[in-house]
Amino acid sequence: MMESGNDSGSAPSQAQGVSLCIPTSLHARAKRRIAALEEEVEIMKQDRVTKQRKTIYYVSQGRAIRHMVAIYTPMEDLIAENDRHCEDGDSDATVEQDRYQRGYIELCKTLPWIHQKLTNVDHEESEEMLRKLKRGADLACGDDTGTLKELVASWVNIKRNPTLLLRTDDKHHWGFVNDECGRLLCPAEWHWDDPTVRAGIRDCTAAYIVSENSWPIFMYEGYEASVKNLKHGLMKSKLLVMGFKAIFTSPSSANEVDGDRDDQARVKTCVASIIGMRKVSPCAIAYTACQVRFALSNITSWRTVDADFDYQLFWNNIVDFFEDAPGPAARARVNVLLEWWTRKVFG
């Protein structure tokens, strides 16, 4: 009875040391292993293709951000400000916070999918997406800078006949060093032909500081301004329209279409069609003005500040000119101006 009890608590002696596998051939096992590895490789290839497609998509989408949203402000700041608005409301928002919030709204208009995407992805994936979008924004800005440098050099050399021709491979003789570039960059309230003004600007004297708070003459119709009415003709220069078309339609359209005509034929859109632009926006005009101003200057690398001139504040001033017009009459004038821009660019 004792032996029987011990036997009942252990595995059958005949099962000990016996393999449970059913023998298969080495060739069959190798085939199955190879098939499994090939499947793993295919999955890895598909993952890589998917990642490449995402990268291409995000980079392509990112090209519109500086054009339509904000020239310098990081997307992370816009997103953070929208979160703050959701939590704290709008009552105590500063001017800068309101500007960031408007920027987030423009970001969602430009990239309609991004708000929901930010809600659904984790932090790591969100950071990766924003990096790729920024890469696209940087690439577009670099491309536009190169395009505008060529366009502005050609236009100044042909139309303004400078004593010293502009060279695209050397910008040291651009800017205020060059009489024609200096004339176009000169603040509208001063007269470049006055030797005292020219010397003061070139020497950076306290009486002639060139900052973002003055409108440069290249932004005026006919490149002339009235000191008594500095808003007359503002934002209507041919060079500004040409720069806009070179960026948003094509460089050839900037040269082929006369910027002073309202009855021009509709041109085939390129960047504008890609980013869904149907009419000209204040942000797009501000971006173009910054690019044209940079092209006329003698600085060689894209930066936020050039001496006393802050490009971020210049961009803000242009956007505010359109979006924060004081009173119904001023708002009506800027609406007419935007309609004029849309006709010039899209026909």
Side-chain angles (χ1 to χ4, degrees):
M1 294 295 292
M2 292 291 292
E3 291 179 359
S4 175
N6 288 339
D7 290 343
S8 63
S10 61
S13 59
Q14 63 268 28
Q16 294 179 359
V18 177
S19 173
L20 298 179
C21 71
I22 301 175
T24 57
S25 70
L26 179 62
H27 179 66
R29 293 197 302 273
K31 284 177 62 178
R32 284 191 288 271
R33 182 57 181 158
I34 291 171
L37 291 172
E38 288 177 342
E39 185 176 357
E40 290 179 12
V41 170
E42 188 62 31
I43 292 172
M44 292 174 64
K45 286 182 179 179
Q46 290 176 0
D47 289 343
R48 185 164 61 249
V49 169
T50 300
K51 289 180 180 179
Q52 289 174 345
R53 287 176 179 171
K54 282 185 177 181
T55 297
I56 292 171
Y57 177 76
Y58 289 143
V59 170
S60 175
Q61 292 282 296
R63 295 182 70 88
I65 291 171
R66 292 190 181 178
H67 291 154
M68 303 291 290
V69 180
I71 190 169
Y72 289 112
T73 307
M75 284 175 288
E76 291 85 350
D77 290 353
L78 304 181
I79 295 166
E81 182 54 35
N82 185 67
D83 290 343
R84 192 202 66 79
H85 264 68
C86 291
E87 294 172 2
D88 301 338
D90 303 337
S91 56
D92 297 326
T94 65
V95 172
E96 184 178 27
Q97 288 171 335
D98 281 339
R99 193 185 304 280
Y100 282 11
Q101 182 60 23
R102 290 201 301 268
Y104 183 78
I105 293 171
E106 288 301 320
L107 177 64
C108 293
K109 288 180 181 177
T110 304
L111 307 178
W113 50 267
I114 194 168
H115 182 74
Q116 190 63 40
K117 189 73 174 178
L118 289 168
T119 303
N120 295 336
V121 300
D122 58 30
H123 180 69
E124 183 177 346
E125 187 174 350
S126 172
E127 285 190 331
E128 180 66 19
M129 178 184 70
L130 294 178
R131 278 196 295 270
K132 292 171 182 176
L133 289 171
K134 182 180 182 299
R135 189 193 311 172
D138 291 342
L139 288 172
C141 187
D143 290 346
D144 296 337
T145 299
T147 297
L148 265 286
K149 183 170 70 172
E150 297 282 346
L151 175 73
V152 168
S154 176
W155 183 84
V156 170
N157 288 339
I158 295 172
K159 298 295 185 181
R160 310 293 291 190
N161 299 313
T163 304
L164 185 63
L165 294 178
L166 301 182
R167 293 172 47 188
T168 56
D169 62 340
D170 183 3
K171 290 195 71 182
H172 291 94
H173 297 290
W174 295 46
F176 290 110
V177 175
N178 184 289
D179 272 344
E180 291 307 318
C181 288
R183 188 185 308 277
L184 293 165
L185 290 168
C186 183
E189 59 266 30
W190 299 335
H191 296 286
W192 181 254
D193 290 330
D194 185 336
T196 304
V197 171
R198 287 202 305 274
I201 291 175
R202 286 169 173 169
D203 294 339
C204 300
T205 61
Y208 295 101
I209 296 296
V210 178
S211 76
E212 67 284 344
N213 294 317
S214 296
W215 300 119
I217 204 69
F218 78 80
M219 299 181 70
Y220 283 84
E221 186 175 19
Y223 315 108
E224 295 180 352
S226 170
V227 178
K228 295 181 180 179
N229 184 7
L230 288 175
K231 292 183 179 179
H232 179 71
L234 180 61
M235 310 286 180
K236 296 185 74 172
S237 82
K238 181 175 180 177
L239 179 59
L240 200 55
V241 174
M242 288 174 60
F244 191 102
K245 292 176 70 62
I247 292 171
F248 290 96
T249 59
S250 69
S252 61
S253 72
N255 293 321
E256 293 170 359
V257 179
D258 187 344
D260 292 334
R261 292 174 55 195
D262 284 329
D263 59 344
Q264 64 187 344
R266 184 178 298 274
V267 297
K268 181 180 179 181
T269 57
C270 296
V271 173
S273 64
I274 293 172
I275 65 179
M277 177 188 285
R278 298 292 178 267
K279 59 183 180 180
V280 176
S281 71
C283 290
I285 296 174
Y287 174 82
T288 302
C290 288
Q291 284 281 7
V292 172
R293 207 273 177 189
F294 174 83
L296 287 166
S297 75
N298 63 352
I299 57 175
T300 56
S301 59
W302 187 256
R303 63 184 72 168
T304 308
V305 177
D306 172 17
D308 295 293
F309 192 95
D310 189 313
Y311 280 90
Q312 175 65 74
L313 297 180
F314 183 54
W315 185 93
N316 291 349
N317 290 341
I318 297 173
V319 173
D320 290 346
F321 173 83
F322 287 98
E323 295 186 349
D324 294 334
R331 284 194 292 272
R333 285 195 296 271
V334 298
N335 288 337
V336 170
L337 181 57
L338 286 171
E339 291 173 1
W340 178 89
W341 265 94
T342 297
R343 289 199 308 274
K344 288 292 184 183
V345 175
F346 298 110

XYZ file of all heavy atoms in Angstrom, residues 197-288:
703
model
N 21.754 111.650 -44.924
C 21.005 110.421 -44.648
C 21.840 109.208 -45.010
O 21.976 108.259 -44.220
C 19.663 110.408 -45.415
C 18.994 109.041 -45.291
C 18.738 111.499 -44.893
N 22.406 109.223 -46.206
C 23.215 108.079 -46.649
C 24.376 107.824 -45.691
O 24.632 106.684 -45.281
C 23.763 108.316 -48.065
C 22.729 108.211 -49.152
C 23.381 107.907 -50.506
N 24.410 108.890 -50.841
C 24.197 110.041 -51.450
N 22.955 110.385 -51.784
N 25.205 110.852 -51.734
N 25.082 108.889 -45.352
C 26.231 108.731 -44.456
C 25.786 108.265 -43.075
O 26.436 107.401 -42.455
C 26.994 110.054 -44.352
N 24.685 108.801 -42.584
C 24.192 108.415 -41.261
C 23.789 106.958 -41.192
O 24.080 106.262 -40.205
N 23.111 106.482 -42.246
C 22.706 105.071 -42.280
C 23.927 104.168 -42.369
O 24.044 103.170 -41.646
C 21.752 104.822 -43.464
C 20.399 105.511 -43.216
C 21.550 103.321 -43.680
C 19.433 105.409 -44.382
N 24.837 104.511 -43.254
C 26.021 103.666 -43.442
C 26.920 103.643 -42.205
O 27.547 102.621 -41.903
C 26.794 104.144 -44.668
C 26.116 103.772 -45.983
C 26.740 104.460 -47.177
N 26.183 103.948 -48.438
C 26.390 104.504 -49.621
N 27.139 105.600 -49.729
N 25.849 103.972 -50.712
N 26.958 104.759 -41.492
C 27.794 104.832 -40.290
C 27.045 104.407 -39.027
O 27.626 104.417 -37.932
C 28.311 106.254 -40.112
C 29.264 106.673 -41.224
O 29.817 105.766 -41.886
O 29.442 107.887 -41.436
N 25.758 104.062 -39.177
C 24.925 103.623 -38.045
C 24.904 104.661 -36.921
O 25.027 104.319 -35.729
C 25.414 102.281 -37.501
S 25.389 100.945 -38.709
N 24.759 105.925 -37.299
C 24.683 106.968 -36.280
C 23.342 106.906 -35.560
O 22.356 106.371 -36.086
C 24.855 108.361 -36.925
O 23.803 108.589 -37.866
C 26.199 108.472 -37.629
N 23.298 107.471 -34.360
C 22.091 107.387 -33.526
C 20.883 108.035 -34.191
O 19.741 107.625 -33.955
C 22.357 108.046 -32.174
N 21.113 109.051 -35.031
C 19.998 109.758 -35.677
C 19.416 108.978 -36.850
O 18.306 109.280 -37.309
C 20.460 111.138 -36.148
N 20.149 107.965 -37.330
C 19.697 107.230 -38.524
C 19.795 105.718 -38.304
O 20.460 105.002 -39.043
C 20.504 107.655 -39.751
C 20.274 109.103 -40.126
C 21.197 110.089 -39.773
C 19.130 109.482 -40.812
C 20.980 111.423 -40.102
C 18.895 110.808 -41.144
C 19.819 111.766 -40.785
O 19.593 113.079 -41.108
N 19.143 105.282 -37.264
C 19.078 103.846 -36.988
C 17.978 103.224 -37.851
O 16.820 103.661 -37.815
C 18.774 103.576 -35.503
C 19.916 104.097 -34.626
C 18.543 102.093 -35.253
C 21.235 103.403 -34.854
N 18.334 102.227 -38.627
C 17.359 101.528 -39.474
C 16.816 100.332 -38.700
O 17.547 99.386 -38.418
C 18.000 101.067 -40.795
C 16.980 100.301 -41.632
C 18.537 102.256 -41.564
N 15.534 100.394 -38.362
C 14.929 99.313 -37.581
C 13.665 98.817 -38.261
O 13.223 99.364 -39.283
C 14.602 99.798 -36.163
O 13.442 100.613 -36.172
N 13.087 97.806 -37.646
C 11.849 97.208 -38.173
C 10.644 98.124 -38.001
O 9.565 97.836 -38.540
C 11.581 95.879 -37.470
C 11.252 95.995 -35.990
C 12.433 96.275 -35.083
O 13.580 96.082 -35.553
O 12.216 96.683 -33.930
N 10.789 99.223 -37.301
C 9.659 100.120 -37.039
C 9.409 101.113 -38.169
O 8.490 101.923 -38.076
C 9.889 100.873 -35.729
C 9.874 99.927 -34.529
O 9.027 99.036 -34.456
N 10.812 100.104 -33.612
N 10.233 101.081 -39.204
C 10.023 101.927 -40.378
C 9.779 101.043 -41.595
O 10.380 99.970 -41.727
C 11.251 102.810 -40.629
O 11.459 103.707 -39.560
N 8.891 101.518 -42.481
C 8.627 100.768 -43.709
C 9.710 101.099 -44.740
O 9.911 102.262 -45.085
C 7.262 101.122 -44.288
C 6.095 100.841 -43.399
C 5.195 101.741 -42.909
C 5.668 99.566 -42.906
N 4.256 101.128 -42.142
C 4.514 99.776 -42.116
C 6.148 98.269 -43.035
C 3.830 98.748 -41.469
C 5.473 97.229 -42.383
C 4.343 97.471 -41.620
N 10.419 100.093 -45.280
C 11.411 100.357 -46.326
C 10.716 100.775 -47.628
O 9.594 100.351 -47.912
C 12.136 99.023 -46.496
C 11.460 98.050 -45.614
C 10.357 98.696 -44.885
N 11.411 101.573 -48.415
C 10.807 102.140 -49.617
C 10.480 101.071 -50.664
O 9.615 101.285 -51.518
C 11.731 103.239 -50.207
C 10.903 104.232 -51.049
C 12.853 102.632 -51.021
C 9.986 105.095 -50.239
N 11.139 99.896 -50.613
C 10.840 98.860 -51.608
C 9.414 98.320 -51.476
O 8.926 97.627 -52.367
C 11.855 97.702 -51.527
C 11.643 96.728 -50.394
C 10.692 95.720 -50.477
C 12.421 96.800 -49.246
C 10.504 94.811 -49.438
C 12.250 95.901 -48.203
C 11.287 94.914 -48.299
N 8.733 98.648 -50.392
C 7.379 98.154 -50.175
C 6.308 99.097 -50.742
O 5.124 98.796 -50.675
C 7.136 97.942 -48.684
C 8.069 96.925 -48.048
S 7.768 96.656 -46.292
C 6.189 95.809 -46.341
N 6.739 100.217 -51.332
C 5.793 101.218 -51.815
C 5.623 101.163 -53.335
O 6.571 100.880 -54.067
C 6.264 102.620 -51.421
C 6.020 102.952 -49.972
C 6.917 102.559 -48.986
C 4.881 103.648 -49.582
C 6.687 102.854 -47.654
C 4.650 103.960 -48.246
C 5.558 103.553 -47.289
O 5.328 103.854 -45.964
N 4.437 101.468 -53.774
C 4.138 101.574 -55.200
C 5.005 102.658 -55.819
O 5.057 103.788 -55.330
C 2.664 101.913 -55.397
C 2.211 101.903 -56.835
C 0.712 102.128 -56.960
O 0.102 102.636 -55.991
O 0.149 101.785 -58.006
N 5.713 102.288 -56.875
C 6.601 103.237 -57.529
C 7.851 103.560 -56.738
O 8.635 104.428 -57.133
N 8.050 102.902 -55.590
C 9.223 103.096 -54.727
C 9.346 104.555 -54.287
O 10.449 105.102 -54.163
C 10.497 102.602 -55.429
C 10.269 101.266 -56.090
C 10.188 101.160 -57.480
C 10.056 100.128 -55.326
C 9.912 99.940 -58.081
C 9.793 98.903 -55.914
C 9.717 98.814 -57.292
O 9.429 97.614 -57.886
N 8.176 105.147 -54.034
C 8.112 106.511 -53.526
C 7.073 106.571 -52.423
O 6.046 105.884 -52.497
C 7.744 107.508 -54.637
C 8.793 107.631 -55.731
C 8.381 108.621 -56.799
O 7.211 109.096 -56.753
O 9.201 108.928 -57.680
N 7.342 107.396 -51.411
C 6.411 107.525 -50.296
C 6.227 108.992 -49.944
O 7.137 109.808 -50.120
C 6.926 106.761 -49.081
N 5.029 109.305 -49.453
C 4.730 110.652 -48.985
C 4.884 110.691 -47.465
O 4.245 109.917 -46.752
C 3.301 111.058 -49.374
O 2.928 112.256 -48.735
N 5.734 111.585 -46.989
C 5.943 111.702 -45.549
C 4.648 112.085 -44.844
O 4.418 111.721 -43.684
C 7.048 112.744 -45.251
C 7.229 112.916 -43.750
C 8.364 112.321 -45.890
N 3.762 112.781 -45.550
C 2.494 113.205 -44.963
C 1.491 112.055 -44.850
O 0.559 112.118 -44.055
C 1.885 114.336 -45.806
C 2.713 115.610 -45.806
C 2.045 116.693 -46.638
C 2.872 117.970 -46.627
N 2.258 119.047 -47.451
N 1.689 111.018 -45.669
C 0.783 109.860 -45.627
C 1.579 108.603 -45.961
O 1.610 108.161 -47.118
C -0.381 110.037 -46.599
C -1.391 108.888 -46.513
O -1.280 108.024 -45.640
N -2.355 108.860 -47.414
N 2.209 108.029 -44.959
C 3.098 106.891 -45.181
C 2.354 105.595 -45.489
O 2.985 104.578 -45.779
C 3.998 106.691 -43.959
C 5.096 107.749 -43.776
C 5.846 107.518 -42.474
C 6.064 107.740 -44.954
N 1.028 105.612 -45.424
C 0.257 104.412 -45.770
C -0.127 104.381 -47.238
O -0.519 103.332 -47.758
C -0.992 104.324 -44.888
C -0.684 104.054 -43.427
C -1.936 103.893 -42.603
C -1.591 103.605 -41.142
N -2.815 103.470 -40.304
N -0.011 105.521 -47.900
C -0.397 105.585 -49.314
C 0.605 104.810 -50.170
O 1.810 105.076 -50.145
C -0.444 107.040 -49.785
C -0.818 107.178 -51.241
N -2.093 106.922 -51.700
C -0.074 107.513 -52.330
C -2.135 107.112 -53.001
N -0.920 107.464 -53.414
N 0.112 103.825 -50.921
C 0.965 103.019 -51.787
C 1.725 101.919 -51.079
O 2.456 101.148 -51.722
N 1.574 101.830 -49.752
C 2.289 100.811 -48.982
C 1.797 99.408 -49.344
O 0.611 99.190 -49.533
C 2.101 101.073 -47.488
C 2.784 100.110 -46.519
C 4.294 100.117 -46.706
C 2.422 100.474 -45.073
N 2.727 98.463 -49.439
C 2.465 97.042 -49.754
C 2.059 96.828 -51.216
O 1.545 95.758 -51.568
C 1.356 96.451 -48.856
C 1.530 96.689 -47.383
S 2.813 95.685 -46.658
C 2.731 96.247 -44.950
N 2.326 97.819 -52.093
C 1.874 97.687 -53.475
C 3.022 97.799 -54.480
O 2.806 98.106 -55.648
C 0.807 98.745 -53.783
C -0.468 98.589 -52.975
C -1.541 99.583 -53.386
C -2.173 99.211 -54.713
N -3.341 100.069 -55.032
N 4.235 97.523 -54.054
C 5.360 97.653 -54.981
C 5.425 96.459 -55.929
O 5.046 95.332 -55.591
C 6.678 97.776 -54.223
O 7.175 96.509 -53.836
N 5.937 96.744 -57.122
C 6.083 95.685 -58.117
C 7.083 94.632 -57.647
O 6.880 93.433 -57.861
C 6.542 96.289 -59.443
C 6.692 95.275 -60.563
C 7.032 95.953 -61.878
C 7.188 94.921 -62.985
N 7.461 95.553 -64.295
N 8.174 95.078 -56.994
C 9.178 94.131 -56.527
C 8.588 93.176 -55.505
O 8.901 91.976 -55.510
C 10.366 94.889 -55.924
C 11.505 94.034 -55.367
C 12.087 93.125 -56.449
C 12.598 94.918 -54.768
N 7.723 93.669 -54.645
C 7.099 92.816 -53.635
C 6.181 91.788 -54.288
O 6.183 90.608 -53.914
C 6.311 93.683 -52.644
C 5.983 93.082 -51.267
C 7.245 92.594 -50.567
C 5.266 94.116 -50.408
N 5.425 92.224 -55.291
C 4.545 91.293 -56.007
C 5.376 90.255 -56.756
O 5.059 89.055 -56.761
C 3.618 92.050 -56.976
C 2.803 91.071 -57.828
C 2.681 92.971 -56.204
N 6.451 90.714 -57.394
C 7.325 89.775 -58.107
C 7.912 88.738 -57.152
O 7.978 87.548 -57.470
C 8.451 90.540 -58.803
C 8.014 91.352 -60.008
S 9.370 92.370 -60.656
C 10.561 91.104 -61.073
N 8.351 89.199 -55.988
C 8.896 88.270 -55.004
C 7.863 87.253 -54.550
O 8.163 86.061 -54.409
N 6.638 87.718 -54.341
C 5.563 86.819 -53.928
C 5.315 85.756 -54.992
O 5.219 84.563 -54.690
C 4.287 87.626 -53.681
C 3.191 86.856 -53.002
C 2.944 87.035 -51.652
C 2.407 85.940 -53.695
C 1.937 86.319 -51.008
C 1.403 85.225 -53.073
C 1.163 85.414 -51.722
N 5.234 86.193 -56.243
C 4.956 85.241 -57.324
C 6.104 84.265 -57.509
O 5.880 83.090 -57.812
C 4.666 86.001 -58.611
C 3.356 86.784 -58.566
C 3.132 87.604 -59.814
C 2.831 86.722 -61.011
N 1.591 85.933 -60.841
N 7.335 84.746 -57.340
C 8.481 83.850 -57.468
C 8.436 82.743 -56.424
O 8.819 81.600 -56.687
C 9.782 84.649 -57.339
N 7.951 83.068 -55.228
C 7.876 82.084 -54.144
C 6.664 81.178 -54.294
O 6.770 79.951 -54.188
C 7.832 82.805 -52.777
C 9.161 83.499 -52.480
C 7.501 81.814 -51.649
C 9.135 84.411 -51.271
N 5.501 81.757 -54.555
C 4.252 80.999 -54.444
C 3.697 80.481 -55.777
O 2.844 79.594 -55.759
C 3.189 81.853 -53.755
C 3.460 82.078 -52.299
C 4.088 83.224 -51.854
C 3.121 81.120 -51.358
C 4.349 83.431 -50.506
C 3.376 81.297 -50.013
C 3.999 82.456 -49.589
N 4.135 81.030 -56.892
C 3.691 80.463 -58.169
C 4.890 79.870 -58.892
O 5.079 78.674 -58.913
C 2.948 81.511 -59.022
O 3.803 82.624 -59.280
C 1.711 82.002 -58.309
N 5.759 80.725 -59.455
C 6.996 80.246 -60.062
C 7.875 81.433 -60.388
O 7.369 82.528 -60.641
C 6.703 79.446 -61.340
O 6.220 80.308 -62.354
N 9.198 81.253 -60.418
C 10.082 82.361 -60.782
C 9.781 82.926 -62.159
O 9.877 84.135 -62.374
C 11.478 81.722 -60.727
C 11.337 80.607 -59.736
C 9.943 80.070 -59.961
N 9.396 82.054 -63.105
C 9.099 82.541 -64.456
C 7.868 83.436 -64.465
O 7.805 84.414 -65.224
C 8.904 81.362 -65.410
O 7.806 80.559 -64.996
N 6.872 83.136 -63.640
C 5.667 83.970 -63.595
C 5.989 85.355 -63.060
O 5.353 86.343 -63.439
C 4.585 83.314 -62.734
O 4.925 83.364 -61.358
N 6.994 85.457 -62.189
C 7.383 86.766 -61.664
C 7.942 87.645 -62.770
O 7.744 88.860 -62.781
C 8.420 86.599 -60.563
N 8.628 87.045 -63.731
C 9.230 87.811 -64.814
C 8.273 88.044 -65.981
O 8.389 89.040 -66.683
C 10.473 87.074 -65.340
C 11.583 87.028 -64.304
O 11.798 87.990 -63.591
N 12.271 85.901 -64.226
N 7.336 87.120 -66.175
C 6.469 87.198 -67.347
C 5.256 88.084 -67.142
O 4.740 88.674 -68.081
C 5.982 85.784 -67.724
C 7.101 84.885 -68.226
C 6.662 83.440 -68.349
O 5.483 83.160 -68.024
O 7.480 82.608 -68.743
N 4.782 88.168 -65.901
C 3.548 88.903 -65.635
C 3.882 90.281 -65.097
O 4.627 90.405 -64.131
C 2.655 88.146 -64.630
C 1.379 88.932 -64.353
C 2.316 86.771 -65.187
N 3.325 91.295 -65.693
C 3.568 92.672 -65.255
C 2.863 92.905 -63.939
O 1.641 92.815 -63.853
C 3.043 93.643 -66.326
C 3.424 95.088 -66.016
O 3.807 95.360 -64.874
O 3.322 95.923 -66.933
N 3.614 93.241 -62.910
C 3.034 93.448 -61.583
C 2.129 94.653 -61.484
O 1.502 94.866 -60.468
N 2.047 95.516 -62.538
C 1.207 96.705 -62.483
C -0.115 96.523 -63.213
O -0.850 97.474 -63.438
C 1.947 97.905 -63.094
C 3.118 98.325 -62.226
O 3.059 98.074 -61.013
O 4.086 98.895 -62.763
N -0.437 95.305 -63.641
C -1.678 95.062 -64.365
C -2.661 94.311 -63.493
O -2.290 93.447 -62.720
C -1.408 94.239 -65.630
C -0.623 94.964 -66.687
C -0.289 94.024 -67.825
N -1.482 93.409 -68.367
C -1.437 92.342 -69.165
N -0.294 91.772 -69.463
N -2.568 91.840 -69.627
N -3.933 94.651 -63.662
C -4.996 93.952 -62.937
C -5.693 92.918 -63.810
O -6.439 92.090 -63.322
C -6.047 94.948 -62.429
C -5.556 95.714 -61.204
O -4.773 95.138 -60.432
O -5.960 96.878 -61.043
N -5.463 92.961 -65.133
C -6.194 92.078 -66.039
C -5.319 90.932 -66.523
O -5.528 90.382 -67.593
C -6.691 92.878 -67.255
C -5.543 93.529 -68.027
O -4.423 93.625 -67.464
O -5.771 93.945 -69.173
N -4.314 90.585 -65.744
C -3.389 89.546 -66.167
C -4.083 88.190 -66.242
O -5.080 87.926 -65.569
C -2.215 89.472 -65.189
C -2.612 89.058 -63.776
C -1.440 89.171 -62.833
O -0.313 89.265 -63.259
N -1.703 89.151 -61.546
N -3.528 87.317 -67.082
C -4.068 85.966 -67.217
C -3.733 85.157 -65.990
O -2.717 85.379 -65.325
C -3.469 85.302 -68.459
N -4.596 84.228 -65.689
C -4.345 83.362 -64.545
C -3.126 82.485 -64.832
O -3.001 81.897 -65.894
C -5.566 82.472 -64.297
C -5.436 81.603 -63.048
C -6.705 80.790 -62.842
N -7.841 81.658 -62.642
C -8.193 82.144 -61.448
N -7.471 81.884 -60.392
N -9.263 82.910 -61.341
N -2.220 82.412 -63.859
C -1.009 81.622 -64.032
C -1.161 80.291 -63.324
O -1.923 80.156 -62.371
C 0.231 82.376 -63.481
C 0.457 83.654 -64.248
C 0.075 82.666 -61.993
N -0.426 79.325 -63.796
C -0.448 78.007 -63.179
C 0.246 78.082 -61.822
O 1.370 78.551 -61.716
C 0.277 77.001 -64.068
C 0.274 75.586 -63.502
C 0.994 74.643 -64.428
C 1.012 73.228 -63.857
N 1.736 72.295 -64.746
N -0.414 77.653 -60.776
C 0.158 77.734 -59.436
C 1.018 76.516 -59.142
O 0.791 75.435 -59.658
C -0.950 77.843 -58.384
O -1.827 76.729 -58.521
C -1.725 79.128 -58.549
N 2.012 76.708 -58.315
C 2.895 75.614 -57.909
C 2.814 75.443 -56.399
O 2.004 74.670 -55.906
C 4.321 75.904 -58.372
S 4.492 75.974 -60.168
N 3.630 76.200 -55.668
C 3.584 76.124 -54.213
C 2.185 76.461 -53.717
O 1.647 75.817 -52.806
C 4.625 77.083 -53.598
C 4.470 77.142 -52.075
C 6.030 76.638 -53.959
N 1.568 77.470 -54.317
C 0.231 77.888 -53.884
C -0.774 76.749 -53.975
O -1.604 76.554 -53.080
C -0.243 79.076 -54.716
N -0.712 75.975 -55.047
C -1.665 74.870 -55.194
C -1.349 73.736 -54.228
O -2.252 73.093 -53.695
C -1.653 74.356 -56.642
O -0.383 73.814 -56.964
N -0.069 73.509 -53.977
C 0.331 72.441 -53.057
C -0.181 72.714 -51.651
O -0.652 71.810 -50.953
C 1.868 72.277 -53.059
C 2.334 71.756 -54.419
C 2.312 71.346 -51.945
C 3.837 71.747 -54.580
N -0.086 73.968 -51.213
C -0.495 74.305 -49.846
C -1.944 74.768 -49.769
O -2.425 75.157 -48.714
C 0.429 75.378 -49.241
C 0.300 76.714 -49.993
C 1.870 74.908 -49.227
C 1.167 77.816 -49.422
N -2.646 74.710 -50.898
C -4.065 75.045 -50.896
C -4.352 76.531 -50.808
O -5.416 76.933 -50.320
N -3.436 77.371 -51.280
C -3.651 78.812 -51.228
C -4.557 79.240 -52.377
O -4.261 78.999 -53.538
C -2.314 79.563 -51.308
C -2.460 81.082 -51.326
S -0.902 81.945 -51.661
C -0.085 81.746 -50.087
N -5.667 79.892 -52.026
C -6.603 80.399 -53.028
C -6.634 81.918 -53.037
O -7.119 82.520 -53.988
C -8.012 79.850 -52.767
C -8.123 78.334 -52.869
C -7.923 77.855 -54.298
N -7.988 76.399 -54.393
C -6.939 75.592 -54.330
N -5.723 76.116 -54.175
N -7.070 74.288 -54.421
N -6.174 82.505 -51.978
C -6.085 83.966 -51.905
C -4.885 84.351 -51.066
O -4.378 83.549 -50.267
C -7.376 84.562 -51.329
C -7.734 84.078 -49.944
C -9.070 84.671 -49.500
C -9.437 84.188 -48.095
N -10.731 84.760 -47.642
N -4.435 85.562 -51.228
C -3.236 86.034 -50.542
C -3.563 86.371 -49.098
O -4.582 86.998 -48.800
C -2.656 87.260 -51.271
C -1.464 87.824 -50.507
C -2.250 86.885 -52.695
N -2.679 85.957 -48.190
C -2.888 86.196 -46.755
C -1.842 87.173 -46.220
O -0.755 87.320 -46.795
C -2.794 84.885 -45.982
O -1.446 84.423 -45.951
N -2.132 87.848 -45.104
C -1.150 88.745 -44.492
C 0.164 88.047 -44.142
O 1.245 88.616 -44.333
C -1.862 89.241 -43.228
C -3.313 89.177 -43.582
C -3.454 87.952 -44.430
N 0.091 86.814 -43.637
C 1.312 86.086 -43.273
C 2.192 85.842 -44.499
O 3.419 85.928 -44.422
C 0.965 84.760 -42.604
S 0.242 84.923 -40.952
N 1.564 85.541 -45.626
C 2.322 85.278 -46.848
C 2.986 86.556 -47.353
O 4.123 86.523 -47.853
C 1.400 84.690 -47.916
N 2.302 87.686 -47.269
C 2.904 88.964 -47.657
C 4.070 89.287 -46.728
O 5.141 89.720 -47.180
C 1.857 90.094 -47.624
C 0.764 89.835 -48.671
C 2.522 91.449 -47.875
C -0.384 90.827 -48.610
N 3.886 89.084 -45.426
C 4.944 89.361 -44.455
C 6.168 88.488 -44.719
O 7.311 88.962 -44.652
C 4.415 89.146 -43.038
N 5.939 87.211 -45.018
C 7.044 86.304 -45.316
C 7.811 86.789 -46.544
O 9.051 86.823 -46.551
C 6.503 84.893 -45.546
C 7.545 83.899 -45.998
C 8.385 83.279 -45.074
C 7.699 83.576 -47.342
C 9.354 82.371 -45.484
C 8.665 82.674 -47.764
C 9.485 82.072 -46.829
O 10.449 81.185 -47.240
N 7.078 87.187 -47.582
C 7.713 87.664 -48.807
C 8.520 88.920 -48.551
O 9.652 89.060 -49.032
C 6.650 87.932 -49.887
O 5.914 86.735 -50.140
C 7.300 88.411 -51.178
